[in-house]
């Protein structure tokens, strides 16, 4: 099948590469000349485990190509994915200007029937707007389909190649047959392709992400209560996660969710509710709690150092919003680092993948270190914001010798309380008792 993917961001690049891997001829289109030149040279602008192998193979075999020319990119395409940014406006609404601009352009240049697929996360009613924008100038038949993505950064390739389910919103039998053919290689094990109307498909993505954000937030609320009543949130997680009605995933307490999806999608669903005069009260609570949770460690740090961070050096492990990605959008680490700097602290940081992205924002305001241990050298304390695997089993004795004070503020509950007690650390975590050396 000939496929065009408009937009080479995170979703577009993974989508294009994975469909090329299933034997399709894929052309990715982007207006960013420098990005396209990098892609044509074999340089991937994002970090996603496993993507490089598929990318290199399909570029080498000629199934995956890149261009800045939209007309060239969609020529003879049976399917055209729109994987474009939908940044949140000040009121939380998703900005559709990029999608609608491309839709308008498509109407002028399409030469044959194609299925136009909204892959971006978009508000209810977007498929209708895209259809209208194309139809204003189109001289050929076409269909617009909603096909939301459910990719988790860090395991996106696996999610795409082995999806739990594929959601397709269309009222066209012709488009339905195209979508069945397109996804057949990815659902051979029997995972469902769920067909529904376009508006329901658009709502499904927002409902899924908002529910998961709510689940995380609920556990953070439980963790905060645990600290007051003397319970351990890890034990509670295990106690409720084995209930099949609840499930084990998204129950880890911490310093809140971040990234490109959850914050934006919860906001957008709340805005849609407001537009339709519905008070979706739980969503506002989710956003409020998460905003507070991101700053959960700061009062602990401030209190430990007697209310002043002036001339203190704080080491930071983890900058990305989650492990296995270099994505720092809405990452809790950034907000905390800014607060530490504002309080007069010096900050040393380490992250396996995200330091370049943070350097583009903070410049030389913080010290970037080549190893996690280098960040600890002569630091007054360690703060942990991302649960990278290499942080889970560190050399505690080495850490203790490098740090001025054996104190750790852990926003991801990486360590067992008894281990930290035996190693003589002062240890603060989320929803568990504070460890203080005897």
């Amino acid at each position: 099948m000939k496929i065009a993917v408009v937009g080479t961001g995170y979703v577009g690049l993974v989508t294009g590469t994975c469909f090329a891997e299933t034997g399709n001829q894929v052309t990715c289109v982007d207006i960013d000349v420098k990005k396209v030149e990098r892609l044509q040279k074999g340089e991937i602008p994002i970090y996603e485990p496993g993507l490089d192998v598929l990318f290199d193979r399909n570029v080498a075999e000629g199934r995956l190509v890149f261009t800045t020319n939209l007309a060239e990119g969609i020529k003879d395409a049976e399917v055209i994915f729109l994987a474009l940014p939908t940044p949140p406006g000040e009121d939380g609404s998703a900005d559709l200007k990029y999608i609608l601009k491309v839709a308008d352009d498509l109407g002028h240049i399409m030469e044959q029937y194609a299925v136009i697929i909204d892959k971006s996360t978009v508000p209810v009613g977007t498929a209708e707007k895209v259809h209208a924008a194309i139809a204003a100038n189109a001289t050929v038949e076409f269909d617009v389909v909603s096909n939301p993505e459910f990719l988790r950064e860090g395991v996106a390739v696996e999610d795409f190649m082995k999806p739990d389910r594929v959601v397709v919103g269309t009222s066209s039998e012709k488009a339905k047959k195209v979508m069945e053919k397109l996804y057949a290689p990815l659902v051979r094990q029997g995972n469902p392709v769920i067909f529904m109307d376009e508006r329901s498909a658009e709502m499904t993505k927002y409902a899924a992400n908002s529910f998961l954000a709510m689940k995380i937030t609920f556990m953070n609320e439980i963790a905060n209560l645990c600290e007051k009543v003397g319970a351990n949130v890890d034990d509670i997680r295990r106690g409720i996660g084995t209930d099949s009605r609840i499930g084990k995933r998204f129950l880890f307490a911490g310093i809140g969710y971040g990234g490109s999806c959850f914050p934006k999608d919860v906001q957008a669903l709340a805005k849609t509710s407001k537009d339709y005069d519905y008070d979706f009260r739980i969503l506002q609570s989710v956003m409020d709690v998460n905003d507070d949770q991101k700053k959960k460690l700061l009062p602990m740090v401030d209190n430990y150092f007697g209310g002043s961070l002036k001339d203190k050096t704080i080491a930071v492990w983890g900058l990305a919003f989650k492990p296995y990605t270099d994505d720092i959008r809405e990452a809790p680490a950034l907000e905390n680092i800014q607060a530490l700097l504002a309080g007069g602290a010096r900050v040393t940081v380490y992250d396996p993948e995200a330091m370049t992205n943070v350097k583009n924002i903070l410049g030389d305001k913080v010290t970037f270190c080549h190893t996690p241990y280098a960040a600890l050298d002569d630091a007054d304390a360690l703060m942990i914001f991302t649960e990278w695997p290499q942080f889970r089993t560190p050399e505690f004795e080495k850490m203790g010798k490098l740090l001025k004070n054996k104190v750790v503020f852990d926003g991801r509950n990486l360590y067992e309380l008894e281990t930290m007690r035996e190693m003589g650390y002062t240890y603060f975590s989320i929803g568990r008792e504070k460890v203080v050396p005897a």
Side-chain angles (χ1 to χ4, degrees), residues 222-233 235-236 431-433:
I222 290 293
N224 295 339
L225 182 58
C226 282
E227 293 173 8
K228 292 185 177 295
V229 304
N232 185 315
V233 73
D235 292 337
I236 295 164
R432 306 186 296 178
E433 68 173 294

Side-chain angles (χ1 to χ4, degrees), residues 355-395:
M355 290 199 291
T356 298
N357 290 341
V358 172
K359 197 164 191 175
N360 291 335
I361 296 174
L362 295 181
D364 59 2
K365 292 180 181 178
V366 303
T367 301
F368 295 90
C369 301
H370 63 287
T371 70
Y373 297 107
L376 300 182
D377 194 11
D378 215 26
D380 293 280
L382 166 64
M383 298 182 75
I384 301 174
F385 295 115
T386 313
E387 61 274 32
W388 284 97
Q390 63 184 273
F391 300 156
R392 291 184 179 276
T393 53
E395 297 178 49

Side-chain angles (χ1 to χ4, degrees), residues 84-133:
L84 295 152
T86 54
E90 289 186 10
D91 61 355
S93 60
D95 189 341
L96 299 178
K97 64 184 177 184
Y98 300 110
I99 289 176
L100 296 179
K101 172 62 169 64
V102 171
D104 181 69
D105 292 342
L106 287 174
H108 290 281
I109 61 177
M110 287 171 58
E111 297 178 345
Q112 64 185 39
Y113 173 80
V115 177
I116 316 301
I117 302 174
D118 283 335
K119 199 65 177 169
S120 308
T121 302
V122 293
V124 174
T126 298
E128 295 159 26
K129 293 179 180 179
V130 170
H131 193 282

